Amino acid sequence: MSKKWITLTAVTAISLLSLTACTDNTKVKEALEQSLNKQKEMKSYTFEGSTTLAISDALLKTSNPLTNSLLTLVKDSTIDWKGISNVEPLQFQTDLKITPKGSTSPFEIPILIKDNKMYFNMPALNKTADEYYAIDLQQMSQTSKSPLTLDTLKNTSQLSTSLGNLVFSGIDPKWYKEAKEPVKLKDGSTAKSISVELTSKNEKDINTVFQTKLPEFIGTLQNNGFIPADKADQLKKSPPGAIQLKAPSKMFVAIDDSGFIRDQSIDVVFQMTVDGKAQENHIVLHQTYDAINQATALTKEVPKNVKSFDEILKLIAPVKK
């Protein structure tokens, strides 16, 4: 009798532990999804981050020679940035520092958005450091077919939410993990840490989910100006399985007590097969958010030496007749 009781107790305990683990993992997944949606509430913030790219021509190459030359500068590089973003009215500033692979001489691209205009200095195009190009975003929003508009720029946090939900909504909760100990943020506060890893154990299952989301994922990037139309069409017409996530890959977020993502990192490897040839791509990204909804004032002034970017813009995104 005692043996039967012990056996029954053990089985019950194991069952309860399994049920608790499943429930806890579901809650961890829900916490991540809620934090992604919470990002929509960010109306102002400061940010800092970096990314290391190893991107194949299969992903970036387009039919436009000028666009290709600009993309060549970043496809194998490390990019660092720091800035301020306010949504209403749209005000934004950042300094991009791009270091091509194998180079010890980075070049910088300062960017300012103010009064419906985007100002930037690009060493490959501008003659001097104080010469800036300007794009009238209001005019572009009204007259151009380009997806780069004031609304798409304002909705950056919504875009990241949409893409995040597309990628993670179908993943089984058992692959979500919350660290036992909270992480410490730059301002001294703490946040809970949630991660999802792509391993040899779940690579097949996660890719199955990813394939169903891929057309919408590509369409979202295209509609928000991050992929040119010809490249988006090419990717959408790729045969099933032409784009595959590869292990090891990992996503991590740190969520503060208010539910905002304050720190995030992505280390993802993915493979693209074009004309029967597989090409590997690798993206490592880290970004932090601070001073959320504190309306931090910009520190950059509108440049005095400004040229119109209209002519060059026509070359990058020619208007279809």
Side-chain angles (χ1 to χ4, degrees):
M1 181 69 178
S2 60
K3 290 183 178 180
K4 291 183 179 179
W5 177 253
I6 292 172
T7 302
L8 179 60
T9 303
V11 170
T12 302
I14 292 172
S15 300
L16 287 173
L17 284 171
S18 300
L19 179 61
T20 302
C22 179
T23 302
D24 286 346
N25 279 15
T26 300
K27 289 181 178 179
V28 172
K29 179 179 179 179
E30 289 174 351
L32 175 58
E33 291 173 340
Q34 289 169 3
S35 70
L36 287 170
N37 288 319
K38 184 73 173 178
Q39 299 304 89
K40 294 179 182 179
E41 299 177 19
M42 292 199 310
K43 303 304 178 184
S44 66
Y45 52 91
T46 61
F47 59 91
E48 186 172 354
S50 66
T51 184
T52 300
L53 304 175
I55 305 299
S56 66
D57 289 339
L59 181 63
L60 291 181
K61 192 173 182 179
T62 74
S63 58
N64 189 294
L66 180 56
T67 303
N68 284 335
S69 64
L70 295 175
L71 292 174
T72 299
L73 296 174
V74 300
K75 74 183 188 72
D76 286 291
S77 65
T78 297
I79 306 174
D80 300 282
W81 59 81
K82 185 176 183 179
I84 302 168
S85 179
N86 296 308
V87 176
E88 292 292 350
L90 179 60
Q91 295 185 331
F92 175 92
Q93 70 174 54
T94 190
D95 290 292
L96 301 178
K97 184 172 73 173
I98 302 174
T99 307
K101 183 179 179 179
S103 173
T104 57
S105 302
F107 61 92
E108 297 187 9
I109 302 177
I111 300 172
L112 171 67
I113 299 177
K114 193 172 184 179
D115 299 328
N116 298 332
K117 289 185 173 62
M118 176 189 289
Y119 305 92
F120 63 94
N121 175 280
M122 186 176 292
L125 298 176
N126 292 103
K127 297 178 181 179
T128 60
D130 68 339
E131 179 187 82
Y132 280 70
Y133 277 111
I135 298 175
D136 190 322
L137 296 173
Q138 187 70 48
Q139 182 180 1
M140 180 184 291
S141 301
Q142 295 172 350
T143 63
S144 174
K145 294 182 180 180
S146 169
L148 181 64
T149 66
L150 280 171
D151 287 337
T152 57
L153 289 170
K154 287 180 180 180
N155 294 334
T156 302
S157 58
Q158 284 86 336
L159 172 64
S160 60
T161 295
S162 298
L163 295 176
N165 283 330
L166 278 173
V167 172
F168 299 110
S169 61
I171 297 178
D172 193 306
K174 67 183 178 182
W175 303 118
Y176 286 76
K177 295 180 181 179
E178 180 176 348
K180 293 181 179 180
E181 299 296 329
V183 296
K184 194 169 185 179
L185 302 174
K186 288 194 305 181
D187 60 7
S189 63
T190 58
K192 61 182 176 183
S193 167
I194 295 176
S195 62
V196 178
E197 290 190 56
L198 180 70
T199 68
S200 57
K201 294 181 179 180
N202 62 15
E203 182 178 298
K204 183 177 179 181
D205 291 342
I206 290 180
N207 268 299
T208 299
V209 174
F210 179 67
Q211 296 303 317
T212 64
K213 307 287 186 179
L214 189 56
E216 188 176 354
F217 189 91
I218 294 170
T220 301
L221 288 173
Q222 178 190 353
N223 293 336
N224 286 272
F226 286 89
I227 295 182
D230 61 336
K231 175 55 65 175
D233 290 340
Q234 179 187 344
L235 292 175
K236 289 177 183 178
K237 294 176 182 177
S238 299
I243 303 176
Q244 293 279 332
L245 300 174
K246 305 296 291 183
S249 294
K250 184 176 182 179
M251 187 278 298
F252 152 90
V253 296
I255 305 169
D256 68 12
D257 292 339
S258 298
F260 288 109
I261 295 175
R262 297 285 302 281
D263 193 320
Q264 65 180 12
S265 63
I266 298 173
D267 187 340
V268 60
V269 179
F270 60 100
Q271 182 178 282
M272 290 190 64
T273 302
V274 179
D275 298 328
K277 183 179 179 181
Q279 299 185 28
E280 190 169 282
N281 304 268
H282 190 189
I283 298 175
V284 179
L285 180 145
H286 176 241
Q287 176 149 303
T288 60
Y289 302 92
D290 291 289
I292 295 176
N293 294 337
Q294 295 181 21
T296 304
L298 301 188
T299 58
K300 290 183 178 293
E301 299 291 337
V302 174
K304 297 178 180 179
N305 184 6
V306 177
K307 298 176 65 175
S308 174
F309 194 63
D310 286 351
E311 292 305 314
I312 292 181
L313 189 62
K314 290 177 183 178
L315 295 175
I316 296 177
V319 177
K320 295 180 180 180
K321 296 182 179 179

